[in-house]
Each structure stands twice: as structure tokens, then as C-alpha cells.
Amino acid sequence: MHDPILVPSLLAGDHAALGASASTVARLGLPWLHLDIMDGHFVPNLSFGPETLAALRRDGSTLFFDTHLMLAQPHLFIDSFAKAGASRLTIHIEPAFDHAAAFRAIRAHGCRAGIALNPGTPAAAIEPFLAAVDLVLVMTVQPGFGGQHFRDDVIPKIAQVDRWRSERGLDLRIEVDGGIDVATAGPCRRNGADTFVAGTSFFAAPDKPAFAAAFAAL
Ligand code: DX5
Ligand code: ZN
């Protein structure tokens, strides 16, 4: 089982000072930053684009950019996000496009590839792609907005992906995203999750070193 990683989501950072919010994460010694990219189509909200990633790189950030593409047509943006400095590109299973080709394009850029699924999407939908990725993102809220309540009905899906991972000897991380705090991370961890995206709870935590330590101890 992988060590637990806390991955702060910049969506809950200071949008007038995103470089400072990224630096807060780096100063804690956390290796990854989660970047939520929204297009107003796949999800009913807008957030950042590739220029934001490029600007964070120019500002000196060397964090692993865990980039979550909530886009109806993510395959059209792989080049621009890879060139902007993404480390991982995670694409959703729900929109119709050639997922296998998209994973090949992501890897051809030297990026890691992930697949994401919404709370209403059965685990079986992503099964054909398990060997093409090294991260499965199980959404624990309907994507689009930070600050929503964690949905515990997705826990059996985390357990199913964990079973496939062990039965098939896959080197996958299982990431959860949405409504994650120390309390909701516990049942996710016990069912196989190892990668914990936290936006609201991270940026609101008054004692961030203690918050990070609690995730490291999961
Ligand atoms: C939701 C995004 C999340 C979001 C999580 O659509 O994918 O990454 O930032 O925010 P919290 O932790 O506030 O639920
Ligand atoms: Zn996300």
C-alpha cells in the first residue's frame, strides 16, 4: 500500500495570490499541488487555464502539478497543459472521446496519466483503462465546486478499485477528491485510498503542519 499523500487543491487558495498559496504548500514539504481545471460545460463552473500553471512555474514552483481536467473535450488541451508544466493529467471517463489515444498523448509528453470518475459513474466504466494510468481519481462529490459535503456512498467504489489493484498487481494510486478532511479521509484510507485532495479544509486549517501530520499518519 502506498504511503498517504495530502494534496492541497489550489481552487481553495487565494486567487489574487496563487503563487503565495502554492508556496504555502511547498513550505510544508508537501510534494503535490492539485489544480482543478473547469470549462463551464463538463462542470457548471470556471477556474484556471494553462496560463495559470505556466505562471506558477515561472514563479518558481517545483511542486508536482496534479492537474484534474474537468473538461468536455480534454483531449484538445493535453498539449497546452503539458507545455504549461503539468506533471499529471487526469481526465474523466464520462465525456465521449478516444480515451486510449488521450492517455498515449499524455505519456508522449512525459506526463503521468490519471482517470477520474464521478460519484454516479460505476467503477466498471474505468476498468478497461486501469493498465493505461497510474492514478484513479474517485470523486467524492459531484465535481464543479469546492466546499461540498463528502459522499460516503462512493466508498464501495474505492474498495472495488483497491481489489482490482491487488488482484492484478497494478501500481496505481487511488485518489479521493471532494469534502476531504481528516475525518472523511479515514474511511477512504481504510478502503484503499492513498492520495487525499483537500481544498477547503487545508486552506482553512489554522495549524497546517498539524493538519499535514494528521494525513501522514492515516
Ligand atoms: C471539485 C474539485 C476539487 C475541489 C475540492 O470539483 O475537483 O478538487 O477543489 O474542494 P474541497 O476540498 O473544498 O471539497
Ligand atoms: Zn479536483
Side-chain angles (χ1 to χ4, degrees):
M1 194 156 178
H2 291 287
D3 288 341
I5 300 184
L6 168 64
V7 189
S9 169
L10 197 61
L11 191 65
D14 179 351
H15 285 235
L18 292 174
S21 295
S23 296
T24 298
V25 174
R27 274 199 306 274
L28 289 165
L30 298 171
W32 291 22
L33 180 69
H34 189 78
L35 291 133
D36 287 304
I37 313 299
M38 304 182 182
D39 67 352
H41 293 274
F42 179 65
V43 291
N45 197 7
L46 298 166
S47 58
F48 322 117
E51 182 51 31
T52 304
L53 278 71
L56 291 167
R57 289 296 186 215
R58 282 197 300 274
D59 191 49
S61 183
T62 56
L63 292 165
F64 182 92
F65 284 177
D66 181 43
T67 312
H68 177 192
L69 299 182
M70 286 165 273
L71 307 178
Q73 302 203 81
H75 52 299
L76 303 183
F77 295 93
I78 290 168
D79 284 8
S80 35
F81 280 102
K83 287 177 184 150
S87 309
R88 169 187 306 291
L89 289 173
T90 297
I91 57 179
H92 272 260
I93 189 64
E94 293 85 7
F97 59 92
D98 185 343
H99 286 78
F103 292 129
R104 283 195 297 275
I106 291 169
R107 285 195 305 267
H109 278 287
C111 294
R112 304 290 189 92
I115 184 124
L117 74 172
N118 285 343
T121 303
I126 60 151
E127 192 186 357
F129 299 105
L130 288 176
V133 297
D134 62 8
L135 178 138
V136 174
L137 168 49
V138 180
M139 289 304 302
T140 45
V141 297
Q142 183 66 20
F145 299 91
Q148 302 184 73
H149 284 290
F150 173 80
R151 288 181 53 162
D152 59 7
D153 58 315
V154 305
I155 286 180
K157 212 155 53 173
I158 299 169
Q160 174 64 72
V161 178
D162 184 44
R163 276 195 298 280
W164 283 331
R165 174 169 63 179
S166 26
E167 286 163 11
R168 302 173 191 187
L170 298 166
D171 186 17
L172 282 178
R173 279 194 165 268
I174 302 178
E175 182 174 61
V176 286
D177 181 9
I180 298 295
D181 56 23
V182 178
T184 58
C188 297
R189 178 65 171 161
R190 289 193 289 281
N191 284 276
D194 44 50
T195 307
F196 301 89
V197 176
T200 305
S201 62
F202 173 81
F203 282 100
D207 183 346
K208 290 185 173 47
F211 184 87
F215 277 82
L218 278 170

